[in-house]
Amino acid sequence: MELDKMDENEWRYHGEGNKSLVVSHVQLSIVLRLLKYPAEDSENPPQTVEQAFRQVQNIVDFSSNVMSCLLGEKFVHSGEVVKLPLEFVRQLSIKVQHQRPAWRCDKVMDIYSGCALCLPNLTSPTLHQPTHTPTLCIEIKPKCGFLPYSKHVSQDIKTKVCRFCMHQHYKVAMGTWKRRSRYCPLDLFSGNRQRMHFAIRQLIDEPQNNLKIFKGGRCIFSSMDGIEDSMDLNSLLHHLRPYFQYGNNRINSHMTSKALLTDFIQVVVNALLSAGGGDGGVGMDRRGEGRSFCEASPFNKERTRHGSQGSPSDSVLYRVRQTQMLDTLDIEGLYPLYRRVEQHLRDFPKERTRLQMDGPYNEAFLEKLHKCPSEDDGSLEYAVSKVHQYRVAMTAKDSQIMVALVPSCEEEEDDEGLPGQRQHRDFLSSRPPAFSYSVSILDLDPKPFDNIPRQLRLDQNIVSCYLRSSCALPKGALPSHSGIFTAAEREDCTLLFHPV
Ligand SMILES: O=P(O)(O)O[C@@H]1[C@@H](OP(=O)(O)O)[C@H](OP(=O)(O)O)[C@H](O)[C@H](OP(=O)(O)O)[C@H]1OP(=O)(O)O
Ligand SMILES: Nc1ncnc2c1ncn2[C@@H]1O[C@H](COP(=O)(O)OP(=O)(O)OP(=O)(O)O)[C@@H](O)[C@H]1O
């Protein structure tokens, strides 16, 4: 890629989240991830070019020096900061505007700084021996996979029902989504194949922003139109069918939709549970802590034949969950420590730099993260360490897992994997046809220190809303798939939520 000869026609809209917009190159297997700003800032850039550059560099450093050590290098692609010509960025912004989902247009692409992150395109990895079959890619945003076990948790419900399942009630009440998802992260992270299968099936039924499927680098299944349902199961099955017609199925050219979906999910489960060997990151083993079932999950516990032992310690799920569990105190226990740090910074503003509240994310930061007294000794250092650990856990709770699959055939069995991606590659050799695969973790940006009060408010709102809506359900009734709150009640909700 020659930065001085950038042509917007060689790039297309790929996707976006809350903070960044991603475009992919039409030929090369790379993407550019550009910052987004609130639309009201579109006339005046909210930060200088230097600040934008620092922000993107911080993302790279946080990913490569911190998250990669915890999650395992093989899963993490930190990319590099690039400085793009402003005219190219402006033209690109115009070109992609009409493809952006309306619900994301409260933010605009940064057209002022020219800074972007260049990453390998994980939805269409280049193969040493190119195959004619396009890569199939599944992106899952699993969210928090454990129940808090901290003594600081004030509401018993938080130790029984997971944050995602409670949050679903709040999202529906607020009109974010029309229906609640029946996906539960504790099922996905359980390591139990039946529960994982069930979890992925629920994601397919109600993808929200937790599931996207790509074929040949193009998104073929998601609910990116927000509350308008855009996903179509039949169309997904149509795309999947050629990958799963095998043996007798191929000859008979008929495979039931159920069998097709079962095989597809099985391949994804295999990839999520598989190892990849090598480095495994440096997380703490907390597998035994906390309950492993969420009471709101519709998965019937009786169906679990062999219990849930947790995922293998070298799998992506294990690494993500271990890192999430650096949130040992829960937001309720963390908040007083945030206040301790905040008070100190108010008294000594220059300390913000020494304490690395906004980076740099280097070895010294990692050391602060690890060197934490086991008990609160009342020190600033303890509070800072815990705040840093919490922010790292937040990043892991909001990250995405990308599984890229390519059907493997004998001629390809000697190649060296999915190049451009340092992670492992293996053959999934169970009943469905063998696939070579790569697993990556995306969106490993640092979460700002100043977001912590918002986290506490959101936590209180979610719990209040859940308690209110679960009281509204008849005893023993399964959660319904419709909003519980009227517009007036929604207003009322806010009165219940305690201000911080
Ligand atoms: O707080 P949560 O759990 O709702 O997570 C936010 C996500 O909402 P979700 O519940 O996944 O739909 C939210 O995702 P959406 O915009 O809803 O797709 C963002 O990922 C947000 O992160 P950031 O502020 O952009 O860095 C996320 O905020 P952080 O809490 O990670 O800062
Ligand atoms: N390296 C990559 N290769 C392929 N696709 C990518 C890559 N990075 C991001 N994407 C796609 O772009 C989308 C948006 O990226 P990302 O999740 O990083 O945005 P974000 O704004 O940080 O998200 P969030 O809402 O969590 O803050 C992803 O969901 C994914 O589909």
Side-chain angles (χ1 to χ4, degrees):
M1 186 173 73
E2 290 181 65
L3 291 173
D4 53 339
K5 290 187 191 144
M6 299 292 283
D7 178 355
E8 68 278 4
N9 296 312
E10 291 176 350
W11 297 86
R12 65 174 165 234
Y13 178 80
H14 183 74
E16 66 189 286
N18 183 37
K19 282 185 323 290
S20 43
L21 187 147
V22 176
V23 292
S24 56
H25 195 274
V26 291
Q27 278 165 342
L28 308 172
S29 183
I30 51 173
V31 299
L32 291 174
R33 189 168 175 250
L34 297 115
L35 296 176
K36 296 197 321 188
Y37 297 138
E40 54 271 23
D41 292 336
S42 58
E43 300 297 315
N44 304 299
Q47 55 183 353
T48 63
V49 173
E50 289 69 31
Q51 287 167 329
F53 186 87
R54 181 36 49 204
Q55 189 184 345
V56 184
Q57 187 61 55
N58 270 347
I59 293 173
V60 175
D61 293 345
F62 191 71
S63 171
S64 59
N65 298 332
V66 181
M67 297 310 290
S68 172
C69 299
L70 295 164
L71 296 167
E73 261 182 36
K74 65 190 173 215
F75 296 125
V76 177
H77 310 274
S78 304
E80 58 174 349
V81 190
V82 288
K83 193 82 181 57
L84 304 165
L86 286 183
E87 189 48 30
F88 163 73
V89 179
R90 286 195 189 113
Q91 293 305 328
L92 195 59
S93 152
I94 295 167
K95 181 181 167 176
V96 301
Q97 187 55 35
H98 73 282
Q99 285 166 284
R100 299 184 56 205
W103 67 296
R104 289 291 190 193
C105 289
D106 56 331
K107 296 211 173 145
V108 290
M109 198 177 112
D110 166 25
I111 52 166
Y112 295 106
S113 75
C115 298
L117 186 55
C118 183
L119 293 152
N121 185 343
L122 300 168
T123 63
S124 62
T126 11
L127 294 161
H128 277 175
Q129 294 184 354
T131 86
H132 293 296
T133 319
T135 310
L136 206 53
C137 206
I138 296 88
E139 180 183 323
I140 298 176
K141 187 182 195 180
K143 302 298 286 187
C144 182
F146 71 97
L147 290 166
Y149 46 84
S150 159
K151 62 176 189 232
H152 302 282
V153 169
S154 63
Q155 300 269 14
D156 199 34
I157 194 73
K158 282 171 64 176
T159 64
K160 295 178 182 157
V161 176
C162 84
R163 150 78 178 242
F164 180 90
C165 290
M166 282 201 273
H167 201 173
Q168 283 295 306
H169 286 251
Y170 186 60
K171 286 184 175 182
V172 172
M174 294 295 123
T176 312
W177 301 104
K178 261 197 291 197
R179 285 179 295 273
R180 290 209 297 276
S181 162
R182 286 157 57 88
Y183 161 74
C184 173
L186 269 64
D187 289 329
L188 186 76
F189 282 98
S190 68
N192 175 287
R193 285 177 179 275
Q194 282 174 293
R195 284 178 71 185
M196 292 176 71
H197 191 106
F198 182 82
I200 296 172
R201 187 68 187 81
Q202 304 315 311
L203 287 175
I204 293 172
D205 276 352
E206 195 63 43
Q208 296 190 355
N209 60 348
N210 303 100
L211 176 77
K212 288 182 200 168
I213 301 176
F214 298 82
K215 183 174 146 185
R218 301 268 196 162
C219 187
I220 54 162
F221 188 75
S222 73
S223 52
M224 287 314 290
D225 288 334
I227 41 188
E228 292 308 316
D229 291 5
S230 68
M231 73 274 183
D232 174 358
L233 188 58
N234 284 332
S235 142
L236 173 65
L237 292 170
H238 176 76
H239 281 293
L240 295 181
R241 199 166 284 279
Y243 293 83
F244 292 89
Q245 303 271 42
Y246 61 98
N248 287 340
N249 288 314
R250 204 193 302 264
I251 293 160
N252 298 338
S253 77
H254 180 71
M255 189 181 187
T256 64
S257 298
K258 190 165 178 250
L260 184 59
L261 219 46
T262 300
D263 278 4
F264 169 61
I265 296 175
Q266 190 180 325
V267 169
V268 179
V269 168
N270 287 346
L272 290 173
L273 288 178
S274 61
D279 63 303
V282 289
M284 301 171 289
D285 190 352
R286 295 183 167 273
R287 189 188 293 195
E289 293 190 62
R291 302 182 196 205
S292 60
F293 268 103
C294 162
E295 288 187 5
S297 165
F299 183 86
N300 179 356
K301 284 179 212 151
E302 308 307 318
R303 282 172 54 195
T304 317
R305 270 185 248 122
H306 308 292
S308 300
Q309 299 303 315
S311 38
S313 62
D314 42 10
S315 67
V316 69
L317 290 176
Y318 182 85
R319 301 262 41 110
V320 170
R321 186 169 178 271
Q322 288 292 102
T323 309
Q324 294 180 346
M325 289 174 90
L326 281 175
D327 169 12
T328 54
L329 300 175
D330 186 71
I331 184 63
E332 294 184 61
L334 193 274
Y335 188 69
L337 300 176
Y338 162 83
R339 291 295 299 268
R340 191 186 297 171
V341 179
E342 194 215 16
Q343 185 58 53
H344 180 81
L345 295 180
R346 221 178 282 161
D347 297 341
F348 307 99
K350 288 188 179 155
E351 283 277 278
R352 202 168 169 116
T353 311
R354 182 183 71 86
L355 298 173
Q356 298 182 270
M357 301 320 293
D358 313 297
Y361 299 110
N362 50 17
E363 269 180 30
F365 181 89
L366 199 59
E367 205 171 304
K368 285 193 176 79
L369 199 70
H370 286 308
K371 270 196 187 163
C372 179
S374 53
E375 292 296 324
D376 185 2
D377 52 5
S379 67
L380 175 73
E381 277 63 36
Y382 176 81
V384 168
S385 258
K386 280 304 192 191
V387 164
H388 285 338
Q389 286 183 357
Y390 178 79
R391 291 173 57 209
V392 166
M394 288 302 301
T395 296
K397 288 181 193 180
D398 198 39
S399 63
Q400 282 112 261
I401 298 174
M402 189 80 97
V403 176
L405 300 163
V406 180
S408 35
C409 52
E410 273 174 32
E411 309 87 84
E412 285 169 354
E413 283 188 7
D414 291 330
D415 74 19
E416 289 166 20
L418 306 179
Q421 301 178 32
R422 275 171 282 124
Q423 70 280 23
H424 66 279
R425 167 225 203 241
D426 204 349
F427 289 99
L428 301 166
S429 52
S430 48
R431 187 173 64 91
F435 281 85
S436 63
Y437 66 94
S438 68
V439 182
S440 322
I441 308 173
L442 318 182
D443 196 4
L444 297 174
D445 300 6
K447 299 286 180 181
F449 169 69
D450 304 313
N451 262 8
I452 291 175
R454 181 197 148 263
Q455 285 299 328
L456 183 67
R457 275 197 303 275
L458 182 60
D459 185 70
Q460 291 166 337
N461 288 353
I462 289 171
V463 174
S464 300
C465 179
Y466 185 77
L467 291 174
R468 188 177 147 107
S469 58
S470 50
C471 284
L473 288 170
K475 259 211 162 88
L478 271 177
S480 79
H481 276 263
S482 60
I484 287 173
F485 294 83
T486 62
E489 281 174 326
R490 225 176 290 143
E491 279 289 303
D492 193 34
C493 262
T494 53
L495 298 175
L496 273 176
F497 308 144
H498 321 282
V500 180

